[in-house]
Amino acid sequence: MNVVPAFPAEIEVNGARLGVRAPPVARLSSVLRDELGLLGTKVGCDAGDCGSCTVLLDGEPVCACLVPLAQATGRKVETVEGLAQVRLSALQASFHHHGAAQCGICTPGFLMAASALLAKNPRPSETQAREALAGVLCRCTGYRKILRAVTEAWRLDGLAAGSAAQDFALLAHPSPIGLFLPRLDGVAKVTGTEKFGADVLMPGALFVRAIRSPHHHARFRFGDLDAFGRAHPGLERVFTARDIPGENRFGVIPAFADQPALAESVARFRGEAVALVAGERRAVEALDLETFPVTWEKLPALLDTDEAEAAPALHAERPGNLLVRGLVARGAPGTALAEAAFTVEGALETSFVEHAYIEPEAGCAWMEGDTLAIAACTQAPFMDRDETAKVLGLSPERVRIIPTATGGGFGSKLDLSVQPLIGLVALLTGRPAALAFSRAESMMATTKRHPARLRARIGADADGRLVGMAFEGKFDTGAYASWGPTVANRVPVHASGPYRTPHYRAEAAAIHTHGPVAGAFRGFGVPQAAALGETLMDRLADACGMDALEFRLLNALRDGDQTVTGQTLSVGVGVRACLDALRPHWTRARAGAEAFNQTAGVVRRGAGLAVGWYGCGNTSLPNPSTIKIGLTAEGRVVLHQGAVDIGQGSNTAIAQIASEALGLPLDRFGLVGADTALTPDAGKTSASRQTFVSGRAAEAATKKLREKILRWANVGQNAELALDGACLELREGDAFRRLDLAGMARDAEGYVFAAQATFDPPTSPLDENGQGVPYAMYGFGAQLVELEVDTALGTVNLLKVTAAHDVGRAVNPLLAEGQVEGGIAQGIGMALMEEYVPGRTENLHDYLIPTIGDVPEIETILVEVPDPIGPFGAKGLGEHTLIPTAPAILNAIRRATGAVLTRLPATPDRVLAALPTARA
């Protein structure tokens, strides 16, 4: 271990000369954060790939993680903390106004890069902004609102305070549903004050690093761990599975809990943690983990689902490597397909896809008396609490989970990767413990989108009406279960697409391998199934001699239709409305492509359509959410809202729902955010459930609160409420009541009035044929992609995406647009570039995600077909926006060139390989 000595140095930061003590080779990002406490500079990769740590050095943007302290000495450093003085800068106000910050982890980097641009060019074009911001990555927004915020910041120059006042004036609006309201937590994101997992550090904390398997499958044994500790001053302790006081198994689905917090004797995937080292920060950071006393015996690895299916079981407790099989069967699809006038069939293989959120997993744990408190980035605080308690042998009441801001999640931060590890160290040492994954660790050790091998056959009658479909899918669920059962059960329900399909059989198998653990990722397997199903629908439309849009309209579900599970969708089916909204765009795009191709050379243009649907919430399982709300004696409404906001905007949308239901403006509301000690269980943030389920719970709780108030004041249901300081005024016609809240009795929490409500969507179990009511609500969407294909190079250039999504009721159109744009960006990555290969793409340089230059113009059309169950008619949206993108791209490539892609992503070499077949 070689600890580089620290020396005193002085640097100028945001106009102030500051003294620090650090090694000359220390990263500027570390000096800013650890020595100066300027946590607005975020660390996403420590390799200059993500740009989240961008600062200005003598006015020029640099990645602070690549700049040594010695290089910054004597020069001017500017960070996000220096942008806002008395008020937000024009650029920050523009980001806030346009909704350009979602999760917020990349926002400081974009703001600093944009500041350098605007200092030289106050009115940049979109092309100039793209070039200036190309070094910063975002996984949430789809970049479109960032570009708009930068190119239109000049409009707010000198008017930032006025713009902010105008935005905040919306908080006083008596009816906030439907307003383009900037997110309530947006200011913290654009000022860099939002606290993420790595930003929470208790004094005296031990720093923790994990020892991870370098092999897909290996037996291991430890050497002399005590001698290793003695040889490294500053190292507090080494922890192995033997130190775990509880049950060394956890899982997001209790019935399938099979993953150890620390592997016991065999590592089953590359990156699995087998031990922890904890000690003083510089000592732990300086450790060469290659010297850790562990011996590996490499074992044969099963990395193919077909081989794994026939191989001995990976887990001794299971008879084979089939984790679970899902089935939906209806009618006689074999007979229907045999008698169909037209049939098409095909196969598709998809790859592991990395979540690639810009914030690596991080957190800090400490003891509060005999309670273990853990602050970490998470999507499911109560699930974390219960599983961490089980691993550590504690009762759930002795574990408190405090979610930090989550810098992107998309499903992977549902799995426990940090909490049991830092909890173990804090519990057994009595000292706080902190852990932040490196980018390589994050990409090795966390869950991925399931790779899939899919086959399907679809048939139609002579009039173009669907008669049947057969679908089969094998999903590589990796070494442990994670969300494999959910994917296997959800896919057969959705593989039909939102179409009337009288005869249907769909099977999906989740199969164990020694690959990365595959878990939840925006869509739970439905995007893979849609990529095959929607490309086959396009080909079937051609076989029937029908226009692709008209074919879909003919077969799309309508109010009163039954789904393939036998569920009757009485009202709220919005897929046809989405297709109708795209009709003029489809006509224009097809005509434009045909005209272009008449004179084109090697570059061919195409337009492609696809639709998607998605059931909100758990599949045929309880899915409750509980929300609490109270009115204080000081005249504040306090919303205890435990739905974790990972960038989708639940902090804002659920507050808007509560405000609308209560009849009091948002500026009188305060928020108690997710915390297992302070908020009821609002369920996990996944499956597009929070606006729907927690929103409905918030609506119910708020209506109960309103009812209590109205009864106390003895006024009718139509009374209008207003707060004048600590006085609540109620008016109904000529009747007027004024309640002095300060003089009224309060409950134990200080509330004069309070209410709590739980909502659990009505579903029913599926029978042996998958028949039943798996979801209380479905959302629908349709997308049109216009692109060009260079047939000499195999490259694809996206021109425009037009997306129509049925949101039921747009609670906040600004946030809804952001979800559409972000989902499309991830769909572009899945379709064209993203392919995770263990051991080869464990950084953001080799693993490609869409940059600001890869996302084209996006036109969003919000369709409102209200759902009777959703809060004020609202439906979930987050997952749906990704599902149609990849198949629309594949359909556009086929219409441009005739090429049928059978493997995703559609990289240039695969496009070129498909072209000879297309020409033939």
Side-chain angles (χ1 to χ4, degrees):
M1 180 169 64
N2 184 21
V3 179
V4 179
F7 297 95
E10 190 175 76
I11 56 176
E12 182 179 329
V13 182
N14 299 327
R17 299 197 67 82
L18 304 173
V20 298
R21 186 174 181 82
V25 294
R27 300 176 190 269
L28 178 58
S29 54
S30 297
V31 173
L32 292 170
R33 291 176 56 82
D34 304 333
E35 302 298 326
L36 299 177
L38 296 173
L39 301 178
T41 301
K42 304 304 180 185
V43 175
C45 68
D46 268 342
D49 292 327
C50 74
S52 63
C53 66
T54 298
V55 299
L56 302 188
L57 191 60
D58 289 340
E60 294 298 324
V62 298
C63 287
C65 70
L66 299 182
V67 177
L69 172 60
Q71 190 175 323
T73 303
R75 302 172 69 181
K76 295 181 179 180
V77 178
E78 297 171 70
T79 72
V80 68
E81 287 89 348
L83 292 183
Q85 301 301 323
V86 178
R87 60 173 183 259
L88 297 182
S89 70
L91 178 61
Q92 289 170 309
S94 188
F95 262 65
H96 182 58
H97 175 74
H98 289 294
Q102 287 191 14
C103 81
I105 192 71
C106 67
T107 303
F110 276 109
L111 286 168
M112 299 316 296
S115 293
L117 168 66
L118 297 181
K120 299 173 183 177
N121 182 0
R123 297 191 182 189
S125 65
E126 182 173 309
T127 299
Q128 291 168 327
R130 282 178 183 269
E131 293 173 354
L133 303 179
V136 187
L137 294 177
C138 176
R139 195 59 160 163
C140 294
T141 66
Y143 300 105
R144 298 306 307 175
K145 293 193 181 303
I146 292 172
L147 284 169
R148 187 174 179 190
V150 174
T151 56
E152 296 191 12
W154 64 271
R155 298 180 184 275
L156 302 181
D157 194 17
L159 300 175
S163 172
Q166 182 179 1
D167 284 340
F168 286 112
L170 294 173
L171 300 179
H173 197 285
S175 182
I177 294 288
L179 294 183
F180 280 76
L181 180 70
R183 61 183 66 233
L184 301 181
D185 51 6
V187 172
K189 298 176 189 295
V190 300
T191 56
T193 57
E194 185 85 280
K195 293 293 190 294
F196 294 87
D199 300 333
V200 178
L201 186 62
M202 299 296 286
L206 295 169
F207 279 73
V208 182
R209 292 177 69 184
I211 310 301
R212 300 188 180 278
S213 171
H215 307 292
H216 296 293
H217 188 204
R219 187 174 291 112
F220 63 89
R221 59 183 178 83
F222 297 118
D224 192 336
L225 300 179
D226 291 335
F228 178 78
R230 290 192 300 270
H232 294 86
L235 193 63
E236 175 84 4
R237 186 170 168 183
V238 176
F239 300 83
T240 69
R242 291 184 179 181
D243 297 303
I244 291 175
E247 182 181 347
N248 190 22
R249 289 290 183 274
F250 67 84
V252 291
I253 303 175
F256 293 89
D258 62 354
Q259 186 166 354
L262 294 172
E264 295 173 356
S265 60
V266 175
R268 290 189 170 91
F269 71 96
R270 174 180 166 82
E272 184 166 13
V274 302
L276 304 175
V277 293
E280 305 306 322
R281 180 169 194 158
R282 288 191 176 173
V284 170
E285 288 178 342
L287 278 177
D288 179 3
L289 296 187
E290 294 295 323
T291 66
F292 187 83
V294 59
T295 302
W296 302 98
E297 178 191 346
K298 190 175 178 180
L299 300 173
L302 295 169
L303 298 175
D304 179 273
T305 51
D306 290 339
E307 293 177 4
E309 232 182 342
L314 274 66
H315 296 275
E317 62 270 23
R318 294 205 180 109
N321 290 325
L322 174 65
L323 171 64
V324 68
R325 188 182 301 277
L327 169 69
V328 172
R330 183 173 175 83
T335 301
L337 288 169
E339 296 175 354
F342 305 99
T343 60
V344 295
E345 59 184 309
L348 182 69
E349 186 172 352
T350 69
S351 306
F352 281 115
V353 179
E354 161 66 17
H355 291 78
Y357 26 70
I358 305 304
E359 179 205 24
E361 292 73 8
C364 186
W366 63 93
M367 298 304 298
E368 294 179 340
D370 66 349
T371 297
L372 174 65
I374 302 175
C377 50
T378 178
Q379 297 178 232
F382 278 86
M383 190 167 67
D384 288 359
R385 182 199 68 175
D386 295 347
E387 290 300 295
T388 300
K390 183 178 73 171
V391 171
L392 299 182
L394 301 172
S395 65
E397 294 73 25
R398 286 191 58 199
V399 177
R400 177 187 182 190
I401 301 294
I402 309 165
T404 62
T406 300
F410 318 115
S412 189
K413 287 177 182 172
L414 288 166
D415 289 73
L416 279 77
S417 54
V418 171
Q419 294 87 332
L421 305 185
I422 56 177
L424 175 68
V425 176
L427 182 67
L428 297 188
T429 66
R431 291 182 59 181
L435 171 61
F437 281 21
S438 68
R439 174 54 57 183
E441 278 186 294
S442 180
M443 297 184 78
M444 275 195 294
T446 61
T447 59
K448 310 287 175 272
R449 184 181 295 284
H450 286 72
R453 289 179 175 169
L454 312 171
R455 299 194 61 84
R457 189 178 183 210
I458 311 176
D461 64 19
D463 295 323
R465 298 184 185 277
L466 293 175
V467 295
M469 179 179 182
F471 173 93
E472 180 183 355
K474 291 182 180 179
F475 292 82
D476 182 349
T477 203
Y480 298 107
S482 185
W483 292 94
T486 300
V487 168
N489 286 299
R490 186 177 283 268
V491 166
V493 174
H494 289 84
S496 64
Y499 301 109
R500 290 176 288 180
T501 311
H503 301 279
Y504 180 76
R505 182 179 180 88
E507 295 183 68
I511 299 169
H512 278 306
T513 69
H514 290 111
V517 180
F521 192 166
R522 206 171 197 165
F524 286 90
V526 178
Q528 297 96 302
L532 175 60
E534 279 300 294
T535 52
L536 290 181
M537 288 295 175
D538 233 43
R539 290 169 52 196
L540 185 56
D542 289 353
C544 294
M546 295 182 65
D547 174 82
L549 187 143
E550 299 303 329
F551 176 81
R552 287 175 168 84
L553 276 172
L554 175 67
N555 290 288
L557 291 168
R558 307 166 187 243
D559 288 351
D561 280 345
Q562 285 194 342
T563 70
V564 290
T565 71
Q567 178 179 358
T568 299
L569 303 181
S570 345
V571 294
V573 182
V575 61
R576 289 175 56 83
C578 293
L579 285 166
D580 281 334
L582 286 187
R583 190 193 299 272
H585 303 274
W586 172 241
T587 302
R588 172 195 54 76
R590 286 193 65 192
E594 290 172 6
F596 180 88
N597 290 336
Q598 288 178 1
T599 58
V602 296
V603 176
R604 306 286 296 175
R605 186 170 290 182
L609 278 173
V611 302
W613 68 327
Y614 195 77
C616 298
N618 294 343
T619 309
S620 292
L621 292 171
N623 194 20
S625 180
T626 302
I627 297 289
K628 183 169 74 173
I629 189 168
L631 179 61
T632 72
E634 294 75 31
R636 294 289 291 171
V637 182
V638 180
L639 181 64
H640 291 253
Q641 199 281 95
V644 176
D645 192 326
I646 61 173
Q648 84 280 22
S650 59
N651 283 342
T652 304
I654 293 174
Q656 287 179 263
I657 290 167
S659 171
E660 185 87 16
L662 185 57
L664 285 173
L666 280 167
D667 62 3
R668 304 313 300 262
F669 275 66
L671 175 67
V672 175
D675 181 332
T676 59
L678 302 176
T679 56
D681 186 1
K684 58 190 181 297
T685 295
S686 70
S688 298
R689 64 176 296 281
Q690 291 295 23
T691 297
F692 166 37
V693 184
S694 294
R696 178 64 186 272
E699 180 186 16
T702 308
K703 286 182 176 178
K704 284 177 67 175
L705 176 67
R706 180 181 169 88
E707 180 67 22
K708 284 186 176 182
I709 294 170
L710 297 180
R711 285 184 180 180
W712 181 275
N714 194 28
V715 294
Q717 295 293 324
N718 296 323
E720 296 179 359
L721 277 60
L723 281 165
D724 180 14
C727 291
L728 177 64
E729 299 177 345
L730 302 96
R731 187 183 303 275
E732 185 180 27
D734 295 333
F736 179 77
R737 301 284 187 277
R738 185 177 174 90
L739 302 182
D740 180 7
L741 300 173
M744 297 179 67
R746 312 174 193 185
D747 65 16
E749 293 183 86
Y751 295 127
V752 176
F753 297 100
Q756 180 171 299
T758 298
F759 174 69
D760 191 2
T763 63
S764 70
L766 300 182
D767 65 16
E768 67 276 8
N769 288 315
Q771 299 299 293
V773 180
Y775 310 104
M777 170 196 289
Y778 295 81
F780 304 90
Q783 293 178 11
L784 160 65
V785 170
E786 300 168 65
L787 54 73
E788 293 175 348
V789 182
D790 187 318
T791 57
L793 300 175
T795 55
V796 175
N797 176 35
L798 298 175
L799 302 175
K800 184 180 180 182
V801 180
T802 308
H805 283 271
D806 171 24
V807 298
R809 175 84 181 275
V811 174
N812 188 319
L814 182 67
L815 301 183
E817 288 176 356
Q819 285 297 289
V820 172
E821 292 165 2
I824 288 170
Q826 288 189 340
I828 290 169
M830 175 183 168
L832 297 177
M833 63 187 72
E834 295 190 43
E835 185 168 14
Y836 177 80
V837 181
R840 285 177 47 196
T841 58
E842 291 167 355
N843 57 65
L844 291 174
H845 178 76
D846 296 310
Y847 184 82
L848 303 179
I849 67 172
T851 70
I852 201 166
D854 295 313
V855 179
E857 176 189 355
I858 297 174
E859 182 176 348
T860 300
I861 304 168
L862 297 181
V863 175
E864 295 185 299
V865 180
D867 188 277
I869 298 178
F872 297 102
K875 300 175 182 176
L877 179 65
E879 243 88 2
H880 314 68
T881 61
L882 169 77
I883 292 168
T885 308
I889 290 173
L890 294 180
N891 286 335
I893 291 173
R894 185 180 72 86
R895 293 196 177 277
T897 66
V900 176
L901 277 297
T902 58
R903 176 82 188 264
L904 287 182
T907 51
D909 59 313
R910 290 172 183 156
V911 173
L912 286 175
L915 287 175
T917 304
R919 294 191 185 104

